[in-house]
Amino acid sequence: MSSNREIENLIELMAKLPGLGPRSARRAVLHLIRKRALLLTPLADMMQTVAATARECLNCGNVGTSDICDICDSEKRATGELCVVEDVADLWAMERSGMFKGRYHVLGGTLSALDAVGPQELRIPRLIDRVASEHITEVILALNATVEGQTTAHYIADQLEGQVLLTSLAQGVPIGGELDYLDDGTISAALRARKAL
Amino acid sequence: MSSNREIENLIELMAKLPGLGPRSARRAVLHLIRKRALLLTPLADMMQTVAATARECLNCGNVGTSDICDICDSEKRATGELCVVEDVADLWAMERSGMFKGRYHVLGGTLSALDAVGPQELRIPRLIDRVASEHITEVILALNATVEGQTTAHYIADQLEGQVLLTSLAQGVPIGGELDYLDDGTISAALRARKAL
């Protein structure tokens, strides 16, 4: 309780963010109030800007501030490679690796019979359109290595078979990973995909 | 990398909050963008409001949106008890307990020779004024049970000795605490302060 309605409201809103509970929201708000000029005001302004301008790219589903996102719009990235990811967070993770120079397609989730998510609920029809119309030569299915992710990858592979080269991310031991701490499935996958030195 | 400057700026600002790193800041910003109407816009508005109105209470140092905070201003709390705390977060913690019906005095830190924090840097002269002028009958020193907190408590006790009843929070086993997990200092303090059943 901060004994003040506005501050209390701000704490309640902050506590709705993933990774922040009521306790850390209180700490964050006190920190914001102490650093009002340096942090609270710029943060409020930037939130206003993003709230006013953020939108999904009409082409790939990435989040940006224009109808076509910076990646789709970039001439440097106009290759024939299309990387299919579940979520914008996955796209950002791929971008951090700095390895991929093609463009993306964000599905917006995975197929799920339980939650009644079919291909129409995802951005799958749009993916099929793009493959047909954008001179795509390779579709990299970078979906999560979960049951749902792999089911979705199989469905997409079925739809696109014969039209384009389909690849998926390699599975195996993560860099820095210790065998003792890895699950059986990962070790099995790494063994199946073993390579000659 | 979100490939968009505004969103990237927002992530960088969010990552400066205590308890959020770059990774959780990215998650939080994606969540905000997805819940734009429900969360991002109200949060931005509330931050603007708080940035424009938040200030320290001239009387006690609590954070609020007026020159005199709601607690100092409340007629229901005009008792002779004054609870001295280090920080606004400590005041909020005391308020959550709902036990204390008096008013507060927030020092804004603890005495520290190393960091050159003397009584003038804290709100200690103002505390001495308040005790003299506000008909205070009891000063509860609710400072943290750390070396710095207790040093500060001793200093204040010296300054106010003979003018007012001075008390401090009881030390002992926390409610729900298991002896096996408590440090030696707490067990010693609880033993010294043992009570007849």
Side-chain angles (χ1 to χ4, degrees), chain B residues 131 156-166:
Chain B
V131 169
I156 294 173
D158 275 349
Q159 300 294 307
L160 294 177
E161 207 175 0
Q163 299 174 47
V164 70
L165 174 64
L166 287 162

Side-chain angles (χ1 to χ4, degrees), chain A residues 27-93:
Chain A
R27 271 182 64 211
V29 167
L30 263 184
H31 184 79
L32 283 170
I33 293 176
R34 284 202 197 99
K35 306 224 163 187
R36 195 188 324 190
L38 231 72
L39 192 52
L40 179 53
T41 308
L43 188 55
D45 291 347
M46 196 48 74
M47 279 190 179
Q48 298 273 23
T49 308
V50 170
T53 59
R55 68 198 68 189
E56 281 184 352
C57 172
L58 295 176
N59 198 37
C60 75
N62 185 15
V63 158
T65 50
S66 47
D67 282 340
I68 300 296
C69 77
D70 298 353
I71 294 177
C72 284
D73 211 31
S74 166
E75 298 224 343
K76 290 187 188 148
R77 312 198 51 143
T79 73
E81 289 173 354
L82 198 61
C83 179
V84 177
V85 291
E86 285 177 30
D87 197 276
V88 175
D90 300 330
L91 185 160
W92 292 0

Side-chain angles (χ1 to χ4, degrees), chain B residues 2 16 20 38-39 43 55 86 92-93 98 106 113 122 125 132 144 146 166 193:
Chain B
S2 81
K16 290 184 184 167
L20 283 182
L38 232 71
L39 193 52
L43 189 55
R55 67 198 70 189
E86 285 178 28
W92 292 359
V106 181
L122 303 179
N144 291 334
T146 56
L166 287 162

Side-chain angles (χ1 to χ4, degrees), chain B residues 13-25:
Chain B
L13 287 168
M14 289 290 285
K16 290 184 184 167
L17 291 177
L20 283 182
R23 191 185 190 86
S24 38

Side-chain angles (χ1 to χ4, degrees), chain A:
Chain A
M1 247 210 295
S2 81
S3 79
N4 181 280
R5 188 167 309 160
E6 282 94 348
I7 295 175
E8 200 56 45
N9 282 347
L10 181 55
I11 293 172
E12 274 170 27
L13 286 168
M14 289 290 285
K16 290 184 184 166
L17 291 176
L20 284 182
R23 190 186 190 83
S24 39
R26 279 194 302 269
R27 271 182 64 211
V29 167
L30 263 184
H31 184 79
L32 283 170
I33 293 176
R34 284 202 197 99
K35 306 224 163 187
R36 195 188 324 190
L38 231 72
L39 192 52
L40 179 53
T41 308
L43 188 55
D45 291 347
M46 196 48 74
M47 279 190 179
Q48 298 273 23
T49 308
V50 170
T53 59
R55 68 198 68 189
E56 281 184 352
C57 172
L58 295 176
N59 198 37
C60 75
N62 185 15
V63 158
T65 50
S66 47
D67 282 340
I68 300 296
C69 77
D70 298 353
I71 294 177
C72 284
D73 211 31
S74 166
E75 298 224 343
K76 290 187 188 148
R77 312 198 51 143
T79 73
E81 289 173 354
L82 198 61
C83 179
V84 177
V85 291
E86 285 177 30
D87 197 276
V88 175
D90 300 330
L91 185 160
W92 292 0
M94 290 291 296
E95 280 297 280
R96 283 198 298 282
S97 82
M99 268 296 288
F100 182 65
K101 302 298 179 198
R103 285 168 299 151
Y104 293 92
H105 192 78
V106 181
L107 295 179
T110 49
L111 295 173
S112 164
L114 265 181
D115 300 329
V117 180
Q120 300 300 322
E121 276 71 48
L122 303 180
R123 226 170 260 104
I124 290 179
R126 173 85 193 118
L127 170 64
I128 294 166
D129 283 354
R130 288 186 71 185
V131 169
S133 65
E134 290 187 21
H135 306 290
I136 305 293
T137 54
E138 178 178 356
V139 169
I140 301 168
L141 295 170
L143 302 180
N144 291 334
T146 56
V147 174
E148 298 80 12
Q150 294 308 303
T151 309
T152 310
H154 276 291
Y155 175 85
I156 294 173
D158 276 350
Q159 299 294 308
L160 294 177
E161 206 173 3
Q163 300 174 48
V164 70
L165 174 64
L166 287 161
T167 56
S168 72
L169 295 183
Q171 293 193 324
V173 180
I175 305 301
E178 296 178 45
L179 292 193
D180 194 20
Y181 290 93
L182 286 176
D183 61 299
D184 304 347
T186 302
I187 293 184
S188 306
L191 189 63
R192 277 197 303 274
R194 65 189 177 279
K195 295 188 297 186
L197 280 176

Side-chain angles (χ1 to χ4, degrees), chain B:
Chain B
M1 248 209 296
S2 81
S3 80
N4 181 280
R5 189 166 309 161
E6 283 93 349
I7 295 175
E8 200 56 43
N9 283 346
L10 181 55
I11 293 172
E12 274 170 28
L13 287 168
M14 289 290 285
K16 290 184 184 167
L17 291 177
L20 283 182
R23 191 185 190 86
S24 38
R26 280 194 301 269
R27 272 182 65 212
V29 167
L30 263 184
H31 184 79
L32 282 171
I33 293 175
R34 284 201 197 100
K35 306 224 164 186
R36 195 187 326 190
L38 232 71
L39 193 52
L40 179 53
T41 308
L43 189 55
D45 291 346
M46 196 48 76
M47 279 189 179
Q48 298 273 24
T49 309
V50 170
T53 59
R55 67 198 70 189
E56 282 184 351
C57 173
L58 296 175
N59 198 36
C60 75
N62 185 16
V63 158
T65 50
S66 47
D67 283 339
I68 300 296
C69 78
D70 298 354
I71 294 177
C72 284
D73 211 31
S74 166
E75 299 221 344
K76 290 188 189 148
R77 311 196 55 144
T79 72
E81 289 174 354
L82 199 61
C83 179
V84 177
V85 292
E86 285 178 28
D87 198 275
V88 175
D90 301 330
L91 186 160
W92 292 359
M94 290 291 297
E95 281 296 281
R96 283 198 299 281
S97 81
M99 268 295 289
F100 181 65
K101 302 297 180 199
R103 284 168 300 150
Y104 292 93
H105 192 79
V106 181
L107 295 179
T110 49
L111 295 173
S112 164
L114 264 181
D115 300 327
V117 179
Q120 301 299 323
E121 276 72 47
L122 303 179
R123 226 171 259 104
I124 290 180
R126 173 86 194 118
L127 170 63
I128 294 167
D129 284 354
R130 288 185 73 186
V131 169
S133 66
E134 288 187 23
H135 306 290
I136 306 293
T137 53
E138 178 178 356
V139 169
I140 302 169
L141 296 169
L143 303 180
N144 291 334
T146 56
V147 174
E148 298 79 13
Q150 294 308 303
T151 307
T152 310
H154 275 292
Y155 176 85
I156 294 173
D158 275 349
Q159 300 294 307
L160 294 177
E161 207 175 0
Q163 299 174 47
V164 70
L165 174 64
L166 287 162
T167 56
S168 73
L169 295 183
Q171 294 193 323
V173 181
I175 304 300
E178 296 179 44
L179 292 193
D180 194 19
Y181 290 93
L182 285 176
D183 61 299
D184 304 347
T186 302
I187 293 184
S188 307
L191 190 63
R192 276 198 302 275
R194 64 190 178 278
K195 296 189 298 185
L197 281 174

